[in-house]
């Protein structure tokens, strides 16, 4: 008997099984690649990457610059854990102007330090308003030492918007597996000049695991009640 045209022969069936098997292997490989890639890069939120362990500083105080670049505008962050005063840098005009603009608009008021990691950093600045991304200002004098403030961003260059973080350790020596460095990625635009203990308190508060499976979500988030220009 001649097989019906709609009924595959045994040879055709074997060929289809092989094709299906190959497709299944390709799908599994694609899914595995996506999972691995996601674990190696920050989320679409502006997060400093933590795949490398921060190197603790030999001193609890920041490395102060002798230049006038740190003698810019002062901003007071009035939080539920206490006050933090930051002196902004004059040699990072794009980043500083962006930060000052958001402060003056009051958009940081009521936000929280939603991501905190002891001996690493505290991150805040997640606002509901849309802010255009700004250009990175790395330069040669860009060091994420203790108590400096830097812009958070995604893995893409020039992607910082409103989110910022304060270094709670000397993170300037961090180098990632792909050869990129912390200092070469995150723009430092100021230094905490008052309220160092407040930064430490926020950094060392109890945390739980967040949606990205990172243990960095504060159990009792500290609120930035008001940010204001003081000089």
């Amino acid at each position: 008997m001649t097989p019906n045209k709609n009924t595959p022969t045994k040879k055709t069936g074997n060929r289809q099984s092989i094709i299906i098997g190959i497709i299944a292997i390709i799908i599994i490989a694609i899914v595995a690649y996506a999972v691995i890639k996601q674990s190696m890069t920050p989320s679409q939120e502006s997060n400093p990457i933590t795949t490398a362990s921060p190197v603790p500083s030999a001193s609890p105080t920041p490395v102060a610059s002798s230049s006038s670049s740190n003698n810019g505008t002062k901003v007071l962050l009035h939080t539920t854990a206490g006050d933090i005063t930051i002196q902004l840098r004059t040699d990072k005009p794009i980043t500083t102007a962006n930060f000052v603009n958001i402060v003056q608009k009051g958009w940081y008021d009521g936000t929280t330090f939603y991501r905190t990691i002891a001996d690493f950093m505290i991150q805040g600045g997640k606002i509901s308003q849309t802010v255009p991304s700004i250009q990175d200002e790395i330069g040669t004098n860009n060091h994420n030492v203790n108590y400096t403030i830097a812009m958070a961003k995604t893995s893409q260059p020039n992607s910082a918007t409103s989110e910022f973080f304060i270094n709670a350790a000397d993170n300037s020596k961090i180098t990632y597996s792909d050869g990129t460095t912390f200092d070469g990625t995150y723009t430092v635009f100021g230094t905490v000049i008052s309220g160092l203990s407040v930064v430490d308190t926020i950094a060392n508060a109890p945390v739980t695991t967040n949606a990205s499976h990172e243990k960095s979500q504060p159990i009792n988030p500290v609120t930035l009640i008001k940010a204001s220009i003081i000089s």
Side-chain angles (χ1 to χ4, degrees), residues 47-63 115-123 142-152 164-176 179-188 199-200 203:
N47 291 338
I49 311 170
T50 58
T51 52
S53 299
V55 180
S57 172
S59 169
T61 57
V63 177
R115 181 173 180 250
T116 64
I117 302 175
D119 297 321
F120 183 45
M121 59 92 232
I122 61 175
Q123 183 172 345
N142 192 77
H143 307 296
N144 282 269
V145 295
N146 298 55
Y147 307 115
T148 52
I149 182 171
M151 292 302 294
F164 61 87
F165 63 94
I166 298 175
N167 289 287
D170 182 355
N171 296 318
S172 63
K173 303 298 189 296
I174 294 178
T175 299
Y176 298 109
T180 58
T181 64
F182 207 81
D183 283 351
T185 303
Y186 302 105
T187 300
V188 176
V199 174
D200 293 339

Side-chain angles (χ1 to χ4, degrees), residues 42-230:
S43 67
Q44 289 305 305
E45 295 180 349
S46 305
N47 291 338
I49 311 170
T50 58
T51 52
S53 299
V55 180
S57 172
S59 169
T61 57
V63 177
S65 172
S66 58
S67 70
S68 61
S69 63
N70 289 325
N71 296 328
T73 302
K74 293 179 183 177
V75 176
L76 175 65
L77 305 181
H78 177 51
T79 81
T80 52
D83 291 346
I84 300 171
T85 303
I86 298 168
Q87 189 157 45
L88 305 181
R89 295 175 57 159
T90 58
D91 61 339
K92 304 295 178 81
I94 297 173
T95 311
T96 293
N98 179 68
F99 186 77
V100 168
N101 180 56
I102 297 173
V103 168
Q104 291 177 327
K105 289 180 181 296
W107 291 350
Y108 283 136
D109 300 352
T111 60
T112 64
F113 286 94
Y114 73 93
R115 181 173 180 250
T116 64
I117 302 175
D119 297 321
F120 183 45
M121 59 92 232
I122 61 175
Q123 183 172 345
K126 182 184 288 187
I127 62 177
S128 57
Q129 297 82 359
T130 300
V131 177
S133 57
I134 59 174
Q135 180 179 333
D136 296 333
E137 294 181 293
I138 303 301
T140 58
N141 184 21
N142 192 77
H143 307 296
N144 282 269
V145 295
N146 298 55
Y147 307 115
T148 52
I149 182 171
M151 292 302 294
K153 55 187 283 189
T154 69
S155 59
Q156 298 302 312
N158 309 314
S159 60
T161 54
S162 67
E163 293 194 34
F164 61 87
F165 63 94
I166 298 175
N167 289 287
D170 182 355
N171 296 318
S172 63
K173 303 298 189 296
I174 294 178
T175 299
Y176 298 109
S177 58
D178 62 357
T180 58
T181 64
F182 207 81
D183 283 351
T185 303
Y186 302 105
T187 300
V188 176
F189 64 100
T191 302
V192 175
I193 58 174
S194 178
L196 308 186
S197 61
V198 178
V199 174
D200 293 339
T201 296
I202 298 173
N204 291 286
V207 293
T208 187
T209 303
N210 63 15
S212 299
H213 308 292
E214 177 186 66
K215 195 170 183 180
S216 63
Q217 181 174 314
I219 295 176
N220 297 301
V222 169
T223 298
L224 201 175
I225 300 171
K226 184 172 181 60
S228 55
I229 307 297
I230 56 176

